[in-house]
Amino acid sequence: MSVRVTTLGNGMRVVTDAMATVETVSVGAWVAVGTRHETKEQNGISHILEHMAFKGTRRRSARAIVEEIEDVGGHLNAYTGRENTAYFAKVLAGDLPLAVDIIADILQNSTFDEQELKRERGVIIQEIHQAQDTPDDIIFDHFQEAAFPDQPVGRPVLGSAELVAGIERQTILDYMRGEYSAARIVFAAAGKVDHDDFAGAAEAAFTGLAQNAAAEAEPLRYRGGEYREARDLEQVHLVIGFEGLSHDDPDHYALAVFSTLFGGGMSSRLFQEARERRGLVYNIYSFSTSYDDGGLFGIYAGTGRAEAAELVPLICAELKRACAAVDEAEVARARAQLKANTLMGLESTSARCEQAARQLQVFGRTIPTEETIAKIEAVGPEDVLRAACRVAASRPTFATIGPGGDIEPLDEIAARLG
């Protein structure tokens, strides 16, 4: 078996996925800390921390961090999510010790220099403004907040410009020391890697992590609601959604199949009806987002002002129709798409590294590909209908940005779905 897991003495888990036919390796630390773990006053601190980890340690300057990895042709990056933060690199196999050392260094020895923090606050505020100027990006933050109001999971990952400007160095230090414990980190590698060597290197490199117990995130409370923002734009950007399913829900794969056949590709019902048959949109798709204890199912569309009033009732009608009947042929097509996406992902060291880390965090084990494929293949029309009806039964959430004054109120949208 190519995947192996070891728990180190400090409680950090190490996982590798060996790929004998490649010459590179992807490596990273997935920390089970994100927006869900922030207080209202801290919103955005996980993202600031991710940025500041690259701005200098006791051993390396910010420039040295990037130069050392790029001197060997490698890449170093990170991202912040609502449930986790990741720091990862891709290098030639012989340079794996350097990548391990750099990631361990930034997670244990970052100095959070005051001048670097001042500059980076400005960079992050520019990032926030850029997101706000991108309606097909920021619409999802507003949708999230309307679905989960007054909750950490409903707040934006980037935070607000005001909060970012006010977060101090000591607050970031305290947050990292309190949240970045060994037990909340999975250190993963995929590619040309020897598990025992990698685990030994991790054991030697990660000696300064805190031993704090993992704090519980505030439970999800889906509420549903709406957000409407009038902007002078050429298009109306909108999202209609519902309460979704958690990672370990029995209908998780059934909902994935439904999302694919409903709005997952050019053959999907939404694409065929809204774009190909009626010409109402350029872009329309459905999505399913899962968390540890819940999720979201939604439909995004970008459309013209004149078309928006017709599009929303169409989406509602198509969803009701899909909850009433699906045929084996479209279910089989959706299963094939999901299986292909799963298997194609196995060709990427980066995707396999992240998959192993996230599976270990979410399920407490890595999941063999054969098991995933079997669960997808087991989904039948009756399973798809059950999953679709489960999500569609919840109170809808609606978000729109643009000239959307002709779109009907949320109560009328809900009535169409009832």
Side-chain angles (χ1 to χ4, degrees):
M1 183 176 179
S2 66
V3 179
R4 292 181 60 190
V5 179
T6 296
T7 300
L8 303 182
N10 63 4
M12 186 173 80
R13 288 168 293 175
V14 173
V15 58
T16 59
D17 187 350
M19 302 167 65
T21 59
V22 300
E23 295 298 325
T24 62
V25 59
S26 293
V27 55
W30 272 260
V31 189
V33 175
T35 312
R36 285 195 69 176
H37 304 91
E38 302 169 350
T39 66
K40 184 177 181 180
E41 295 73 25
Q42 292 174 331
N43 183 215
I45 194 171
S46 298
H47 181 245
I48 296 173
L49 174 51
E50 174 228 306
H51 274 241
M52 288 303 300
F54 293 91
K55 297 306 173 183
T57 71
R58 291 192 292 270
R59 295 168 47 203
R60 293 177 170 95
S61 66
R63 182 166 182 166
I65 291 171
V66 295
E67 283 185 345
E68 285 188 36
I69 201 76
E70 292 185 358
D71 279 348
V72 298
H75 307 281
L76 185 66
N77 212 334
Y79 68 79
T80 306
R82 288 189 160 83
E83 293 189 316
N84 71 328
T85 307
Y87 304 83
F88 51 93
K90 184 170 185 175
V91 293
L92 295 176
D95 298 313
L96 179 57
L98 173 65
V100 170
D101 185 62
I102 289 176
I103 294 172
D105 192 22
I106 65 176
L107 290 183
Q108 297 174 111
N109 302 313
S110 289
T111 56
F112 304 114
D113 178 78
E114 288 282 9
Q115 290 304 310
E116 291 284 1
L117 176 57
K118 182 178 179 180
R119 281 191 290 270
E120 205 59 26
R121 282 199 200 100
V123 171
I124 294 170
I125 289 170
Q126 291 301 317
E127 185 179 359
I128 292 169
H129 290 160
Q130 179 176 303
Q132 291 171 342
D133 286 345
T134 311
D136 57 343
D137 181 357
I138 200 67
I139 187 69
F140 292 97
D141 276 351
H142 296 307
F143 170 72
Q144 187 90 11
E145 185 174 12
F148 300 109
D150 303 316
Q151 301 168 60
V153 77
R155 298 179 190 125
V157 170
L158 301 183
S160 68
E162 293 75 19
L163 285 173
V164 168
I167 291 179
E168 300 293 338
R169 174 180 181 272
Q170 191 60 48
T171 304
I172 301 171
L173 278 168
D174 292 344
Y175 183 78
M176 187 174 197
R177 289 167 182 162
E179 301 292 341
Y180 274 44
S181 62
R184 299 178 86 164
I185 298 176
V186 172
F187 198 48
K192 192 172 184 179
V193 57
D194 178 86
H195 179 81
D196 293 329
D197 290 346
F198 182 67
E203 185 91 66
F206 286 95
T207 59
L209 292 174
Q211 301 296 304
N212 308 330
E216 293 294 327
E218 181 180 322
L220 292 184
R221 303 182 311 279
Y222 176 86
R223 299 285 178 79
E226 66 179 330
Y227 174 90
R228 297 181 187 236
E229 179 183 336
R231 282 201 202 181
D232 185 15
L233 301 172
E234 291 298 322
Q235 277 207 314
V236 181
H237 300 269
L238 60 89
V239 181
I240 301 174
F242 309 87
E243 184 173 14
L245 307 178
S246 66
H247 294 292
D248 60 355
D249 190 283
D251 282 332
H252 175 85
Y253 287 99
L255 183 60
V257 172
F258 172 70
S259 182
T260 301
L261 74 84
F262 187 61
M266 294 176 66
S267 64
S268 68
R269 289 192 179 192
L270 283 178
F271 193 92
Q272 285 295 311
E273 186 66 23
R275 175 167 165 163
E276 298 296 279
R277 183 165 179 265
R278 305 201 189 194
L280 294 176
V281 299
Y282 173 72
N283 194 14
I284 187 167
Y285 59 85
S286 59
F287 59 91
S288 180
T289 302
S290 292
Y291 299 111
D292 289 341
D293 54 346
L296 285 171
F297 175 80
I299 301 103
Y300 164 83
T303 187
R305 178 172 186 166
E307 291 82 7
E310 181 182 352
L311 178 64
V312 172
L314 169 67
I315 292 172
C316 295
E318 285 299 310
L319 185 58
K320 285 194 71 173
R321 190 168 73 88
C323 287
V326 294
D327 62 57
E328 176 57 42
E330 62 181 343
V331 172
R333 186 185 308 118
R335 287 197 306 257
Q337 288 178 263
L338 284 176
K339 287 190 291 183
N341 289 340
T342 299
L343 295 173
M344 288 176 185
L346 299 179
E347 299 176 1
S348 163
T349 61
S350 299
R352 284 172 69 155
C353 181
E354 179 168 19
Q355 175 179 275
R358 289 295 292 144
Q359 287 178 347
L360 203 52
Q361 281 184 329
V362 172
F363 303 106
R365 67 184 182 99
T366 59
I367 300 174
T369 303
E370 296 79 9
E371 181 178 333
T372 300
I373 297 300
K375 288 181 177 179
I376 294 171
E377 290 179 334
V379 174
E382 67 283 357
D383 305 305
V384 171
L385 286 176
R386 183 179 61 252
C389 292
R390 281 183 64 188
V391 298
S394 64
R395 183 173 186 246
T397 296
F398 182 71
T400 180
I401 297 175
D406 296 334
I407 299 175
E408 59 196 16
L410 181 62
D411 287 346
E412 292 184 23
I413 294 174
R416 288 184 180 277
L417 295 162

